[in-house]
């Protein structure tokens, strides 16, 4: 009431009027008013029985105070920066405190608080001279603030936070007041730094209040970077960091445990997705705030916060969430984790998340291993996991790449000993590229390409001066090299291939160069010399664990406040037994005789004997076996993980094939990692695929005819999409056969056999001994061949295995899966480390016989495609249509954003990340 | 880092390869090449001898040019890495198979010589013969053809072996011939004889040749090519700034390094293969 009047007065002409008034007059008016107020204050002490009506006295006081404050606000500071006369008077007479005490003695309602808060907000914000330096002004302000601390009325809260925000702004501009703030609070017996403590409850608040509180806190955080005392206070005397971190946990718990997935292709949370989920927006705001705090705060605060996030959010909340029981829940958590990672910009926060993923063990299994194993899960969990790894690989983080791939390559066991020097060799004449490109299926060769949809490009490439530059044909510098098609070697403007290949080269160059630049900060070259392979042979690879790990040290710095919050049992990072460590994804266990348990799924051994593989591997095997064949196969018949992954991947396809049969699976088909798969999901899926099939049969021809390029925009695209869908569903049945034949060596079951299998009878509980006959055949053969395997069988790591096995199934994968897959591969191929580059791309490198190379995998895919194309008459037309569709798809990407295709792509992929950092720059 | 073959703006590159680090990103002008300079003087390219080139690189003939381009790029990067003293080369704008070069002789008989040359790479590289190196002005030298200016490279590379022979070796060879003079089977018998019989006369002829060469230093390049090497007298308005940049260049990589930290991450202690083994992350 009072304040609003004053505010209005100010905005209207009054200040103009005042400008002309001389300071002495103002002073006289002020003193006059004050005398009147004092009279009322003395006469009508609310505690005494008053002669005057209390509301009347109040409004009279307010009236005077309005004017007085206005005069105070408008007063210029005196000469040489000393107080103006009115301010001096206010300080001498202790005006503010007396007013506050008076109002306190009356009924101190929310309304009163609101008024006083507004009064100070105005005074502090608009005064022309610094006021807060003076205790008689600061003290009543502090009293007011502390009296508002327990307030619940939203209006008061809003005003309180606004005022606090304003105070913080002033603090940020003039840190000299800081000392006063500390002292004044001490006088009050309140916590040292009142304005800070008052803000903490609003950290996770929604809307403007929360935003203002966070902005204000951030200002204090950046203050702490220079002011040791503030930092110490925050770390030692406040619950700031624990509140922040546990707040994340709280907000996380209110996120939906199951996402409503828009469609099958969906695999990561884009901005459009999370913008629709208020709880997620709120979580991201808080995460963003943590990120910003870590960015600006004093190192001690940063360390504390990071440790609390690790121990108060990641370990106790996110880790269990990643291991929930149902597919959808786990998928949802994975998608969240991916989004969080993309949202973080501050390296030390990112480090915390990454070290959680790479080093934390949940029930003695590394999070990373669990995540890797899920890539091959059917349904969306697999693709969501892939999207997560796309994010991880995109960080250009040495630690990630080390754990994911490089540590398996460092010992150089995957290649012949003599080949180590080849790792560093440069392929001057593109022999590897030629070999890789020779894998292009004949149906996709440039001769069969459709007329380009894009503008033509050309490269200038002519023999030194031998040509005449102006004719159109002269650039046939390689005409001698022509094979059959006459102009295939021309580098001119008319070859489609050149265009797309140039685009391809351009994109590749961009990603390679940015990757090279990023990897300059890495600690080693990874070139088969640095680190030296001899030093890191299997079993030696694991160094003494956890020496000086950063999170570990940070953990020690955590005060006792929240330690109870960390998960029960072992503190994180407690060195696990050496056995477990060495067994972790080590190939050794494959050679070890594995204990055969009679009860394959339910009866998990209570403890792991050292010779056994980690639990999740065992489980993965079991469930893989169960899923693929529905029959029970002795675990130790499995050679290595690659096979398991293969089988699981195969399961994907056989499931599509046998959709009808699977419907009658037991209520919860067990999946690896303790996941259970509700029947409803299975049957839904079946329906979909059936529908797709049916549609494919009926619509196919019509669609092909209708797909005229005249139609514009989305219709066009939608039709293509449908077409792809049809292609996909039709191709699926066909392909499976070819695939299976190619994979025969690892497939324990003969094809005909499988065709006849009754899926109903193959439940987890009822293994069928008679079915064991044929599976053993192939497996046995394999085993006998390698019975004397030495300890260190070359193994390129679970990630590569899983990736390759999904890649091998390209023909059955949906398009979006293949795009993800090839995207990840392209990311990997851009890495400059010779070990990785040579493993993926150098076809001259001779690998150990058991090591699968990318080339081999692609060759398999190629022959599958060739087989499929030979078996279909209309294949060329379909290829053309598909190519058009893909081009149209890309064109639609390009059309949505600017012309920079890469940028558009990045925006799609990263989407959120640039939000942080920009949004949190402290206000001036 | 190197991609000058078909997309560089002609005016971006004037003085040798000094700015190879800042080779322009293929961005805006990716699709629009600068027009081919008109009236390009036809070059008398020695007729390519030997068998018709065959595809050594794989099945898809159409990728051949890309492979060739890549190998030439790789060769060029190797040249850069060698840091051959006093030798500068720059591929032609028009063809990756033609490189312009200049060699500065800093001591010996040919001291102060600044010889421009052109390297012609056979189009079936690396399976053809060795590249040719032709001096713009025939240098008076036993191994340089007095008419064509071609250096006898073949004697050093009787058979060009892929993977073993590289173009930088040819350039290196071109440098050595001026310091260590060989008169066996000369292309310029007169020079050979003089060198053997009359050192003084040889020397004076060389000095005359060097003078002649240097007097034509500022001539327009013989080949009309935007990337041809051309010299111009010192012009402070133009060159001071460039010189400044060259001298401050050494400091730049470090700064660059700092800026690059934004994108890459590592918490691995050097010498370790443990993630997060660094005690304190420097990036925080």
């Amino acid at each position: 009431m009072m304040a609003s009047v004053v505010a209005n007065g100010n905005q209207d002409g009054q200040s103009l009027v005042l400008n002309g008034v001389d300071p002495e007059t103002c002073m006289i008016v002020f003193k006059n008013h004050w005398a009147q107020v004092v009279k009322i204050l003395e006469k009508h002490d609310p505690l005494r029985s008053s002669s005057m009506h209390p509301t009347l006295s109040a409004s009279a006081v307010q009236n005077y105070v309005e004017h007085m404050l206005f005069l105070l606000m408008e007063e210029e500071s005196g000469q040489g920066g000393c107080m103006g006369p009115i301010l001096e008077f206010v300080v001498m007479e202790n005006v503010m405190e007396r007013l506050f005490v008076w109002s306190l003695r009356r009924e101190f309602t929310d309304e009163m608080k609101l008024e006083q808060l507004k009064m100070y907000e105005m005074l502090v914000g608009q005064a022309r001279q610094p006021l807060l330096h003076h205790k008689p002004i600061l003290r009543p302000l502090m009293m007011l603030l502390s009296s508002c601390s327990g307030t619940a009325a939203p209006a008061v809260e809003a005003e309180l936070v606004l005022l606090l925000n304003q105070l913080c702004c002033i603090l940020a501009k003039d840190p000299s007041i800081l000392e006063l703030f500390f002292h004044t609070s001490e006088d009050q017996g309140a916590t040292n730094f009142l304005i800070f403590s008052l803000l903490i409850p609003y950290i996770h608040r929604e809307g403007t209040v929360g935003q203002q509180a966070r902005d204000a806190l951030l200002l204090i955080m950046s203050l702490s970077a220079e002011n040791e005392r503030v930092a110490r206070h925050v770390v030692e005397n406040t619950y700031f960091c624990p509140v922040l971190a546990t707040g994340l946990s709280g907000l996380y718990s209110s996120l939906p445990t199951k996402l409503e997935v828009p469609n099958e292709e969906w695999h990561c949370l884009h901005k459009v997705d999370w913008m629709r989920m208020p709880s997620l927006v709120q979580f991201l705001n808080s995460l963003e705030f943590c990120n910003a705090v870590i960015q600006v705060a004093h190192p001690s605060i940063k360390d504390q916060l990071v440790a609390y996030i690790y121990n108060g959010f990641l370990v106790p909340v996110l880790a269990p969430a990643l291991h929930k029981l149902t597919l959808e829940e786990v998928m949802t958590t994975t998608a969240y984790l991916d989004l969080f990672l993309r949202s973080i910009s501050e390296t030390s926060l990112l480090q915390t998340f990454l070290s959680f993923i790479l080093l934390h063990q949940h029930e003695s299994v590394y999070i990373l291993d669990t995540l890797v194993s899920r890539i091959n899960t059917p349904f969306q969990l697999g693709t969501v996991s892939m999207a997560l790894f796309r994010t991880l690989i995109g960080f250009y983080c040495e630690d990630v790449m080390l754990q994911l791939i490089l540590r398996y390559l460092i010992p150089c066991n995957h290649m012949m000993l003599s080949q180590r020097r080849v790792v560093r060799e440069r392929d001057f004449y593109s022999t590897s590229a030629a070999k890789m490109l020779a894998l292009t299926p004949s149906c996709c060769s440039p001769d069969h390409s459709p007329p380009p949809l894009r503008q033509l490009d050309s490269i200038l490439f002519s023999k030194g001066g031998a040509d005449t530059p102006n004719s159109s044909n002269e650039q046939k510098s390689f005409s001698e090299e022509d094979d059959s098609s006459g102009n295939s070697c021309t580098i001119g403007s008319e070859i489609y291939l050149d265009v797309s290949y140039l685009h391809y080269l351009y994109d590749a160059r961009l990603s390679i160069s940015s990757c090279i630049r990023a990897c300059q900060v890495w600690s080693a070259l990874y070139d088969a010399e640095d680190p030296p392979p001899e030093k890191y042979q299997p079993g030696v690879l694991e160094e003494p664990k956890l020496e000086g790990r950063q999170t570990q040290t940070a953990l020690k710095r955590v005060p006792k406040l929240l330690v109870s919050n960390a998960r029960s049992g072992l503190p994180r990072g407690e060195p696990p037994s050496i056995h477990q460590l060495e067994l972790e994804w080590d190939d050794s266990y494959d050679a070890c005789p594995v204990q055969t348990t009679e009860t394959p799924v339910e009866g998990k051994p209570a403890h792991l004997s050292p010779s056994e593989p980690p639990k999740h591997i065992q489980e993965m095997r079991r469930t893989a076996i169960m899923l693929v064949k529905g029959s029970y196969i002795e675990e130790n018949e499995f050679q290595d993980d690659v096979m398991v992954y293969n089988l699981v991947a195969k399961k994907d396809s056989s499931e599509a094939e046998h959709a009808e049969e699977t419907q009658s699976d037991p209520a919860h088909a067990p999946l690896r990692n303790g996941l259970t798969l509700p029947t409803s999901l299975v049957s839904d899926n079946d329906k979909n695929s059936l529908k797709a099939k049916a549609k494919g049969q009926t619509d196919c021809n019509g669609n092909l005819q209708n797909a005229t390029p005249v139609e514009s925009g989305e219709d066009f695209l939608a039709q293509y999409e449908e077409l792809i869908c049809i292609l996909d569903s039709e191709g699926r049945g066909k392909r499976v056969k070819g695939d299976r034949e190619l994979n025969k060596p690892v497939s324990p079951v003969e094809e005909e056999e499988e065709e006849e299998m009754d899926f109903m009878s193959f439940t987890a509980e009822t293994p069928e001994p008679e079915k064991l006959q044929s599976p053993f055949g192939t497996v046995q053969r394999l085993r006998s061949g390698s019975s004397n395997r030495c300890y260190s069988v070359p193994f390129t790591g679970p990630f590569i295995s899983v990736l390759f096995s999904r890649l091998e199934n390209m023909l059955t994968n949906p398009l979006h899966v293949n795009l993800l897959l090839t995207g990840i591969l392209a990311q990997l191929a851009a890495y400059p480390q010779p070990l990785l580059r040579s493993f993926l791309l150098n076809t001259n490198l001779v690998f150990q016989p058991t090591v699968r190379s990318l080339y081999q995998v692609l060759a398999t895919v190629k022959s599958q495609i060739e087989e499929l194309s030979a078996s279909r008459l209309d294949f060329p037309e379909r290829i053309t249509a598909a190519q058009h569709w893909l081009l149209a798809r890309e064109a639609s990407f390009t059309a949505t954003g600017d012309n920079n295709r890469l940028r558009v792509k990045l925006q799609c992929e990263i989407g959120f990340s640039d939000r942080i950092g920009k949004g949190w720059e402290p206000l001036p | 880092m190197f991609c000058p073959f078909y997309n560089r703006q002609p005016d971006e590159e004037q003085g040798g390869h000094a700015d190879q680090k800042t080779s322009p990103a293929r961005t805006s002008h990716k699709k629009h090449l600068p027009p081919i300079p008109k009236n390009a003087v036809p070059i008398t390219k020695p007729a390519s001898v030997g068998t018709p080139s065959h595809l050594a690189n794989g099945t898809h003939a159409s990728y051949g040019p890309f492979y060739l381009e890549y190998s030439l790029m790789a060769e060029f990067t190797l040249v850069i890495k060698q840091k051959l003293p006093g030798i500068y080369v720059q591929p032609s704008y028009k063809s990756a198979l033609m490189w312009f070069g200049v060699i500065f002789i800093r001591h010996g008989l040919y001291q102060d010589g600044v010889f421009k040359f052109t390297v012609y790479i056979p189009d079936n590289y690396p399976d053809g013969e060795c590249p040719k190196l032709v001096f713009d002005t025939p240098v008076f030298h036993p191994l340089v053809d007095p008419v064509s200016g071609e250096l006898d490279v073949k004697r050093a590379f009787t058979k060009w072996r892929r993977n073993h022979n590289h173009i930088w070796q040819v350039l290196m060879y071109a440098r050595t011939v001026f310091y260590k003079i060989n008169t066996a089977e000369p292309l310029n018998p007169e020079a050979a004889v003089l060198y053997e019989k009359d050192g003084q006369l040889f020397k004076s002829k060389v000095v005359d040749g060097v003078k002649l060469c240097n007097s034509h230093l500022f001539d327009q390049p013989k080949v009309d090519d935007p990337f041809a090497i051309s010299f111009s007298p010192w012009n402070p308005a133009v060159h001071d700034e460039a010189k400044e940049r060259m001298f401050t260049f050494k400091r730049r990589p470090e700064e660059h390094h700092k800026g690059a930290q934004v994108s890459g991450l590592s918490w691995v202690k050097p010498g370790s293969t443990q993630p997060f083994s660094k005690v304190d992350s420097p990036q925080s």
Side-chain angles (χ1 to χ4, degrees), chain A residues 428-478:
Chain A
F428 274 98
Y429 312 115
S430 311
T431 45
S432 291
K435 271 195 184 166
M436 288 281 187
L437 285 166
L439 292 179
T440 314
S442 54
C443 55
C444 299
S445 89
D447 306 336
H448 299 124
S449 291
L453 296 183
R454 280 190 292 230
Q455 198 203 330
L456 285 172
D457 206 340
S458 65
I459 67 170
L460 195 66
F461 195 83
S462 53
K463 231 180 334 188
D467 48 55
T468 47
N470 287 326
S471 78
S472 62
N473 246 354
E474 90 296 294
Q475 285 174 353
K476 273 195 203 172
S477 45
F478 292 89

Side-chain angles (χ1 to χ4, degrees), chain A residues 398 406 409-412 414-415 419-425 522-534 832-839 845:
Chain A
E398 181 175 11
L406 288 171
L409 302 180
I410 288 170
C412 288
H414 59 290
M415 65 184 89
Q419 295 289 302
R420 285 188 191 172
R421 129 196 97 73
V422 182
V423 168
R424 287 182 301 276
E425 270 175 15
W522 284 26
S523 75
L525 293 172
Y526 300 99
D527 60 352
E529 248 178 23
D530 169 29
E534 297 76 21
Q833 287 69 31
L835 272 177
L836 182 54
R837 194 179 55 196
S838 64
F839 171 65
L845 202 62

Side-chain angles (χ1 to χ4, degrees), chain A residues 302 346-348 350-352 354-356 358-359 394-400 402-403 407 410 426-431 433-435 437-438 440-441 445-446 454-466 469-470 475 477-478 480-483 488-491 495 497-498 501-503 505-507 509 514 517-524 526 530-531 535-536 541-551 553 557 901, chain B residues 1-3 5-6 23-28 30-34 36-45 48 52-75 77-78 81 92-98 120-126 160-166 253 256-257 260-281 283-284:
Chain A
K302 175 163 59 177
E346 183 54 33
T347 39
S348 42
L350 193 58
Q351 181 194 12
T352 310
L354 291 178
S355 75
F356 165 73
L358 300 185
L359 298 179
F395 285 134
Y396 303 128
C397 174
E398 181 175 11
D399 309 62
V400 170
L402 190 59
Q403 290 300 87
R407 68 191 189 115
I410 288 170
R426 184 193 286 268
D427 183 11
F428 274 98
Y429 312 115
S430 311
T431 45
K435 271 195 184 166
L437 285 166
T440 314
S445 89
R454 280 190 292 230
Q455 198 203 330
L456 285 172
D457 206 340
S458 65
I459 67 170
L460 195 66
F461 195 83
S462 53
K463 231 180 334 188
N470 287 326
Q475 285 174 353
S477 45
F478 292 89
E480 313 98 304
E481 298 172 5
D482 280 6
D483 43 16
S488 67
C489 292
T490 308
I491 308 232
I495 291 201
L497 168 89
D498 292 348
Y501 194 67
L502 266 185
H503 280 281
L505 286 182
Y506 177 67
D507 283 353
R509 183 176 178 276
S514 59
R517 226 176 301 123
C519 291
Q520 279 171 354
V521 298
W522 284 26
S523 75
Y526 300 99
D530 169 29
K535 204 176 143 194
Y536 297 102
L541 190 64
E542 300 289 342
E543 290 171 6
K545 274 294 211 182
L546 299 165
E547 27 118 344
R549 243 172 228 169
Q550 213 245 347
T551 34
T553 40
R557 275 179 246 151
R901 292 179 307 140
Chain B
M1 89 170 201
F2 169 70
C3 61
F5 290 114
Y6 51 81
S23 86
R26 290 192 204 182
T27 47
S28 55
K30 180 183 150 216
K31 291 197 175 182
H32 305 285
L33 298 168
I36 299 166
K38 296 234 165 80
N39 311 320
V41 180
I43 304 157
T44 46
K45 180 185 177 275
S48 61
S53 45
H54 55 277
L55 268 185
N57 273 326
T59 52
H60 275 289
S62 39
Y63 290 111
F66 291 105
Y67 302 148
L68 178 58
E69 189 196 17
Y70 178 82
S71 15
L72 293 175
M73 281 203 256
E75 289 290 353
T77 352
L78 268 192
K81 277 191 188 149
S92 144
Y93 170 78
K94 281 188 254 168
S95 168
L97 293 168
M98 180 165 75
Y120 298 97
I121 299 152
D123 54 21
N124 54 351
Y125 185 84
W160 189 262
R161 292 183 302 158
R162 49 159 52 211
N163 274 318
H164 288 275
N165 292 133
H166 295 292
H256 207 72
H257 202 254
Q261 279 197 350
V262 197
S263 49
L265 298 168
S266 168
W267 294 281
V268 181
K269 194 171 84 186
S272 163
T273 57
Q274 277 306 112
F276 306 105
S277 45
K278 254 185 209 171
V279 179
D280 277 308
S281 63
Q283 287 153 352
S284 52

Side-chain angles (χ1 to χ4, degrees), chain B residues 109 193-205:
Chain B
L109 279 171
V193 171
L194 271 188
Y195 180 75
E196 297 291 345
K197 308 280 183 213
D198 190 348
Q200 277 309 314
L201 187 55
F202 179 81
K203 203 173 173 181
S204 71
K205 280 217 157 199

Side-chain angles (χ1 to χ4, degrees), chain A residues 745-819:
Chain A
V746 276
S747 163
V749 181
E750 297 298 331
E751 191 196 339
E752 304 79 31
E753 188 102 27
E754 199 183 347
E755 225 76 286
E756 293 159 12
M757 265 190 221
D758 178 5
F759 272 65
M760 283 175 68
S761 60
F762 301 148
T763 62
E765 285 77 24
T766 57
E768 293 230 336
E770 63 270 23
K771 288 282 176 193
L772 294 180
Q773 208 64 32
S774 70
F776 269 74
T778 37
V779 176
Q780 214 81 53
R781 250 181 284 134
L782 268 176
R783 279 194 69 77
S784 60
S786 55
S787 52
N788 293 330
R789 281 202 301 176
C790 62
Y791 177 73
S792 55
V793 172
F795 180 49
T796 49
F799 183 69
I800 290 289
S801 300
V802 174
L803 200 66
F804 281 6
S805 95
R806 285 220 82 146
L807 200 63
E808 203 158 41
N809 288 301
M810 271 185 102
L811 256 70
T812 36
N813 291 336
L815 176 68
H816 67 276
V817 171
N818 283 334
L819 289 175

